[in-house]
């Protein structure tokens, strides 16, 4: 049987508000899973289950590293799928609901914290297996989800409009999940019981996002059927031949690592730099709320300067503001929050332009080869992004270990030395800023213009 992928009709340009909103509400799933584990899983392991910082960092990294293999395979599977619902939507429903159940189980902690002097094998093993399963379920949701814009419309402007909606709702999800999830943990007793209730709350968000994305895109174009490469190796060869995609994915993945490193340190920054455990919700409100306002502004900047220049400007803003935040112990708190708001401004643009350039790279490949294999491209993209989101907490955990961070089993962080507090500060500011800034080197010479072959 011939392999096939869905291709949007050539005149499919403007999508209905219902489709845009329905698709964008899938960000309830991607935003919650992209935020909460990166934000709470590392401190959950170190300050509730009593796992050492170095081991906890590896534990957060290892299961997600599996997605580097899984995501391209998921992309190929969804490219080969043909149903009356299209190639992608069945995976949204099945994987989204499965992910919600597994996520709630991830924080259930049936084996409790590691006893003093005891073995962490049961607690660590449980989290490792559940995190591996949730990462796999997320791959089956995320890859088809990210593939859909390139197949629903051929208009670059319409794809940017869709990404504006999506980034706005993604920012809202990050705000809600990032601020409310730790608040639930703290106000319901903290420790294991608080994390269990938090897991149920986030799982509910995922169910809502799954159903909205599935039913909201019911009327979206699913396209015609076109032959694709017959094997995964052949498809990955096509991906490797797409230079704009290679350049973009390298930059975005490295930047995801830096952003995730910072995300993993929010609670530690609140506890050991600001010395205010309850500051996390306000930190999230400050960094995310600007995105709700400035995303349309970044879109206009992109229309004036171009998406690539807009991407560079946003990333530079994010880098410089994060470096400036290293002065946090020396300045009043209101200046700390002002710098974090600027970080949020840069982050909104960095996300918008990265996501808006991805469908352009897929469209470039269609113009170059005559084929569209969005699932393979987004499979590689999401595999890399997931690896970056896993590497970030892993790097932060190793920084904590190097500076002598002390773990706890009480649900409350232990008192740390000034040396460990310095590690928290550097891991939250200088390390991610350097990573995000250096990633821009990959964008040199980026273009999606198709050069005609010589006659």
């Amino acid at each position: 049987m011939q392999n096939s992928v869905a291709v949007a009709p050539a005149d499919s340009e403007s999508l209905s508000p219902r489709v845009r909103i329905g698709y964008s509400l899938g960000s309830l799933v991607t935003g919650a899973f992209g935020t909460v584990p990166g934000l709470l899983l590392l401190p959950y392991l170190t300050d509730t289950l009593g796992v050492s910082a170095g081991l906890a960092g590896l534990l957060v990294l290892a299961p997600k590293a599996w997605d580097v293999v899984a995501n391209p395979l998921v992309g190929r599977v969804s490219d080969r799928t043909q149903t009356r619902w299209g190639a992608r939507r069945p995976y949204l429903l099945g994987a989204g609901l499965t992910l919600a159940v597994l996520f709630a189980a991830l924080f259930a902690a049936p084996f409790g914290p590691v006893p003093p002097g005891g073995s962490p094998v049961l607690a660590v093993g449980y989290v490792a297996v559940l995190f591996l399963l949730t990462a796999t379920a997320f791959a089956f949701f995320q890859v088809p989800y990210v593939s859909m814009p390139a197949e629903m419309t051929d208009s670059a402007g319409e794809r940017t409009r869709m990404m504006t909606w999506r980034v706005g709702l993604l920012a809202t999800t990050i705000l809600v999940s990032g601020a409310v999830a730790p608040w639930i943990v703290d106000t319901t007793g903290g420790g294991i019981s608080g994390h269990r209730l938090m897991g149920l709350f986030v799982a509910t968000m995922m169910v809502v996002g799954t159903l909205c994305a599935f039913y909201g895109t019911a009327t979206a174009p699913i396209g015609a059927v076109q032959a694709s490469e017959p094997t995964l190796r052949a498809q990955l060869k096509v991906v490797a031949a797409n230079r704009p995609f290679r350049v973009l994915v390298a930059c975005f993945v490295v930047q995801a690592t830096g952003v995730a490193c910072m995300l993993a340190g929010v609670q530690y920054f609140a506890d050991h730099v600001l010395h205010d455990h309850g500051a996390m919700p306000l930190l999230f409100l400050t960094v995310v709320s600007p995105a709700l306002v400035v995303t349309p502004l970044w879109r206009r900047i992109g229309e004036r300067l171009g998406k690539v220049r807009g991407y560079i400007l946003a990333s530079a803003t994010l880098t410089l503001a994060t470096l400036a935040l290293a002065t946090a112990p020396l300045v009043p708190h209101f200046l700390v929050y002002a710098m974090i708001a600027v970080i949020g401004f840069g982050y909104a643009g960095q996300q918008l332009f990265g996501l808006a350039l991805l469908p352009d790279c897929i469209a470039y490949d269609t113009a170059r080869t005559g084929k569209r294999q969005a699932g393979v491209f987004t499979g590689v993209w999401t595999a890399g992004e997931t690896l970056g989101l896993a590497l970030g907490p892993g790097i932060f955990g190793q920084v904590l270990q190097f500076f002598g961070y002390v773990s706890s089993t009480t649900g409350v962080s232990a008192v740390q030395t000034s040396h460990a507090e310095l590690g928290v500060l550097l891991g939250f500011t200088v390390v991610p800023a350097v990573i995000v800034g250096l990633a821009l080197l990959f964008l040199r010479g980026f273009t999606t213009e198709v050069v005609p072959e010589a006659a």
Side-chain angles (χ1 to χ4, degrees), residues 268-339:
Y268 298 95
F269 181 78
D271 287 341
H272 305 294
V273 177
L274 300 183
H275 300 288
D276 181 1
H277 181 77
M280 182 191 283
L282 183 56
L283 289 171
F284 249 86
L285 177 65
T286 306
V287 76
V288 176
S289 57
L292 303 178
V293 179
V294 305
T295 298
L297 173 61
W298 277 118
R299 180 168 65 86
R300 288 194 291 272
I301 291 174
E303 291 170 351
R304 179 179 293 271
L305 300 180
K307 295 179 188 178
V308 176
R309 290 180 179 177
Y311 192 3
I312 293 172
L313 178 60
S315 299
T317 302
L318 174 59
T319 298
L320 295 176
T322 305
L323 277 175
L325 191 59
T327 63
L330 307 176
V331 301
H333 281 190
F334 78 89
L335 287 180
V336 172
Y337 285 101
M339 288 185 281

Side-chain angles (χ1 to χ4, degrees), residues 24 26 55 91 114 162 184 188 208 217 238 268 298 303 384 386 428:
S24 299
L55 178 58
Y91 294 102
V114 179
M162 286 187 68
I184 290 174
T188 56
V208 172
T217 57
V238 170
Y268 298 95
W298 277 118
E303 291 170 351
T386 301
F428 187 71

Side-chain angles (χ1 to χ4, degrees), residues 21-85:
I21 296 172
Y23 175 79
S24 299
L25 282 169
S27 294
L28 290 174
V29 181
T30 60
F33 189 76
T35 301
V36 177
L39 179 68
L40 293 180
L41 187 56
L42 190 65
Y44 170 65
L45 290 166
T46 61
D47 296 339
T48 296
L49 297 187
V51 180
S52 68
L55 178 58
L58 292 175
L59 183 60
V60 173
L61 166 63
K64 278 196 171 184
W66 154 246
D67 281 351
V68 176
V69 177
N71 283 26
L73 293 176
V74 172
R76 182 173 181 240
V77 168
S78 66
D79 275 347
R80 294 162 59 95
T81 300
Q82 298 183 52
T83 75
R84 63 186 179 88
W85 291 339

Side-chain angles (χ1 to χ4, degrees), residues 3-219:
N3 299 337
S4 60
V5 295
V7 179
D11 60 352
S12 174
E13 295 186 355
S14 181
L15 299 174
S16 70
R18 175 182 175 180
V19 171
R20 292 177 191 162
I21 296 172
Y23 175 79
S24 299
L25 282 169
S27 294
L28 290 174
V29 181
T30 60
F33 189 76
T35 301
V36 177
L39 179 68
L40 293 180
L41 187 56
L42 190 65
Y44 170 65
L45 290 166
T46 61
D47 296 339
T48 296
L49 297 187
V51 180
S52 68
L55 178 58
L58 292 175
L59 183 60
V60 173
L61 166 63
K64 278 196 171 184
W66 154 246
D67 281 351
V68 176
V69 177
N71 283 26
L73 293 176
V74 172
R76 182 173 181 240
V77 168
S78 66
D79 275 347
R80 294 162 59 95
T81 300
Q82 298 183 52
T83 75
R84 63 186 179 88
W85 291 339
R88 319 296 178 184
R89 290 178 62 240
Y91 294 102
L92 299 189
L93 185 63
L97 297 180
T98 301
L99 174 64
V101 173
L102 291 171
F103 186 89
L106 175 63
F107 288 94
F111 299 107
V114 179
S119 172
V121 171
L122 290 179
V124 168
Y126 176 83
V127 173
V129 170
L130 263 294
F131 200 29
L132 176 65
L133 293 175
T134 55
T136 303
F138 182 65
F140 274 93
F141 181 92
Q142 187 190 31
V143 174
Y145 178 70
V146 178
S147 300
M148 293 174 71
E151 296 174 347
M152 290 192 290
T153 176
D154 284 336
S155 167
E158 177 62 30
R159 290 195 293 265
T160 301
R161 285 190 289 271
M162 286 187 68
M163 289 306 106
T164 302
W165 278 88
R166 182 187 168 194
V167 170
L169 285 167
L170 181 64
T172 304
T173 302
I174 294 173
L175 174 62
V176 172
S177 61
V180 176
W183 177 82
I184 290 174
V185 173
D186 290 339
T187 58
T188 56
I192 291 176
S193 61
H195 282 88
R196 286 172 177 167
L197 291 173
M198 177 277 298
L200 292 174
F201 165 75
V202 175
T204 301
M205 287 183 60
M206 291 177 173
V207 170
V208 172
T210 294
L211 296 178
C212 288
F214 178 75
Y215 288 107
T217 57
T219 60

